[in-house]
Structure formats: structure tokens, C-alpha cells
Amino acid sequence: MRNDLPFAVQIDGLSHSFGKGSMRRKVLNSISFEISPGEVVLLTGPSGCGKTTLLTLIGALRTVQSGSLIVLGNQLSGSGRKVRQRLRRNIGMIFQGHNLLRCLTAEQNVQMGSDLLPGLSYLTRREQARSWLRAVGLSDQASKLPHDLSGGQKQRVAIARALAAKPRLLLADEPTAALDSVTGREVVDLLKKLAREQASAVLMVTHDPRILDVADRVLKMEDGRLIHSFG
């Protein structure tokens, strides 16, 4: 995948619906915007307005129904499963469910991110996992399994795992929701550092007014439409 793309994400007229027949409901209505490499964009709006659906489409977790969606140079409209699978290796995802593997320790879960990087020895990948756990304040929890961690600790492990893969695009759904104000600020500062140092694009869904200042741009959605952009 090329590293000199003018946009990490290009969306034009993207629409999406759920259900069939009389139960069919449009959740995204002609969304259009771009995100540049190194840019931090926040996506705000009331619950149920389509933010998470948009995130999963950009993350190649859903099939595009209508409109154009180009992610890291890949057109996802009409794309096959192999294209989407390959693309996902370059996308970091942080969702509210954490999605940690229950049988792995915190360190091993984070190392799953480092395992995606080519050409690294096992010892290097393990040290990178430990480094990211230190960065999110969990070096003393490295050997614990997910069921022994609090909700906020699980969230930080999920964030460390996503960062460990050094993604070209990072998608985060309410990454600070389970975190206190200090930890939440540290986490979003880490995400911004990733964006700046590695030219990674970051798109965060949030209701947290405490982190709006971290964004280069804030997009607001309502009823499946993009209604405002500022920053």
C-alpha cells in the first residue's frame, strides 16, 4: 500500500441502511468528507445517529451499499473479502467492547498488535508490547488476564494493542468512555502523538467534551447526516 496518499480516507455520498422492506431504515445519508494522513478528527453527535456504523464501514467490517469509500487507497465499494482483509491489517480499531482474548494476558493481547509488524523478532515484539503497556500506565498489570482487569484497564489494553501495530489509520469508538479525566487525556495525547510521528490518520467517535481540543477538526452528525464541520 502506498504511503504517499493525499488522503487516508475519502468518502463521497456514502449511505447505508438496515432492515428490509417496510422495516428498512437509513442510518447514513449521503456522507462526504476526507481525512488526511497525520490528521486527528473527532466525530460527535447523539447516540443512534450513525457514528459507529460509519466507523465499521471505514474499518472494512461492513460491505458498502451506496456511495464511494476509499480507505488507504482502496475503493471499498464493490471490493472483495480479500481486499478488506488485507486493508484491515493497516487499520487499528478500538471499540467499546474491548475485544480482548480472554485466554491471553494483557501483555500477550498487546503483543498481538506487534505481531502484525513484519521482520521483528519475538523478543522485539514482546518488548514493544511492554513499552506500550507502560505508555498507558499498565506495566504492573502485564501478567493479568482480562477477567482480572477493570473496565478502564481493559480499555487501556485495547488501546495499547491498537497502537502496537503502528496503524496507518486508527479508528476509535469512545476511547475515553471508561477512563478518568487524567488517563483519558494521556490516552488521547498518545493517539495524537501516533498521528504526528507516524503520519497516521485518527478518527475518534466521542461524547467527551474534555478532549475536543486534541482534534484538528470536529465533525458533527445528526440523523445519519453530517451537519457541521469545524476546526
Side-chain angles (χ1 to χ4, degrees):
M1 294 185 181
R2 289 169 50 199
N3 291 316
D4 58 347
L5 298 169
F7 296 109
V9 178
Q10 292 173 273
I11 304 174
D12 186 17
L14 186 68
S15 296
H16 199 82
S17 300
F18 291 130
K20 296 182 179 180
S22 61
M23 300 298 291
R24 190 171 178 82
R25 183 173 68 90
K26 183 171 282 189
V27 292
L28 295 178
N29 195 336
S30 196
I31 299 289
S32 299
F33 65 90
E34 299 89 21
I35 304 175
S36 301
E39 186 178 22
V40 177
V41 177
L42 298 190
L43 185 61
T44 66
S47 297
C49 72
K51 302 186 301 298
T52 298
T53 299
L54 178 58
L55 225 59
T56 56
L57 282 164
I58 296 172
L61 298 174
R62 297 185 190 275
T63 301
V64 174
Q65 295 175 349
S66 175
S68 174
L69 174 57
I70 302 174
V71 179
L72 301 178
N74 294 266
Q75 174 60 262
L76 294 185
S77 179
S79 65
R81 182 177 297 179
K82 288 185 178 179
V83 170
R84 295 194 296 272
Q85 287 176 337
R86 186 175 68 249
L87 176 61
R88 285 197 293 269
R89 294 180 66 88
N90 292 276
I91 300 175
M93 301 183 192
I94 305 167
F95 292 110
Q96 293 186 60
H98 314 305
N99 296 328
L100 302 179
L101 290 184
R102 292 176 292 177
C103 60
L104 299 183
T105 65
E107 180 183 305
Q108 290 168 334
N109 266 285
V110 175
Q111 188 173 324
M112 289 178 64
S114 297
D115 288 345
L116 295 174
L117 299 174
L120 298 181
S121 68
Y122 170 77
L123 289 178
T124 298
R125 287 181 275 124
R126 185 176 68 179
E127 181 50 42
Q128 284 191 356
R130 292 176 177 176
S131 177
W132 283 114
L133 278 175
R134 286 195 296 271
V136 297
L138 288 179
S139 57
D140 59 339
Q141 308 293 322
S143 62
K144 289 189 176 180
L145 294 170
H147 65 75
D148 293 321
L149 299 172
S150 69
Q153 289 171 332
K154 290 177 187 176
Q155 182 74 325
R156 283 188 276 168
V157 172
I159 290 166
R161 179 182 60 188
L163 294 174
K166 297 184 177 178
R168 293 176 58 198
L169 171 64
L170 182 68
L171 305 174
D173 192 0
E174 299 284 0
T176 63
L179 306 179
D180 59 62
S181 60
V182 173
T183 305
R185 168 53 60 177
E186 291 173 350
V187 162
V188 295
D189 285 344
L190 266 177
L191 299 185
K192 188 156 190 172
K193 182 179 180 182
L194 173 81
R196 295 293 186 262
E197 293 183 353
Q198 301 180 30
S200 301
V202 177
L203 177 61
M204 279 188 279
V205 167
T206 187
H207 288 101
D208 189 347
R210 300 171 301 180
I211 66 170
L212 293 181
D213 63 299
V214 79
D216 298 302
R217 193 157 39 106
V218 179
L219 306 177
K220 186 173 182 180
M221 284 184 65
E222 194 170 296
D223 297 329
R225 295 179 182 273
L226 196 63
I227 62 169
H228 191 55
S229 175
F230 56 95

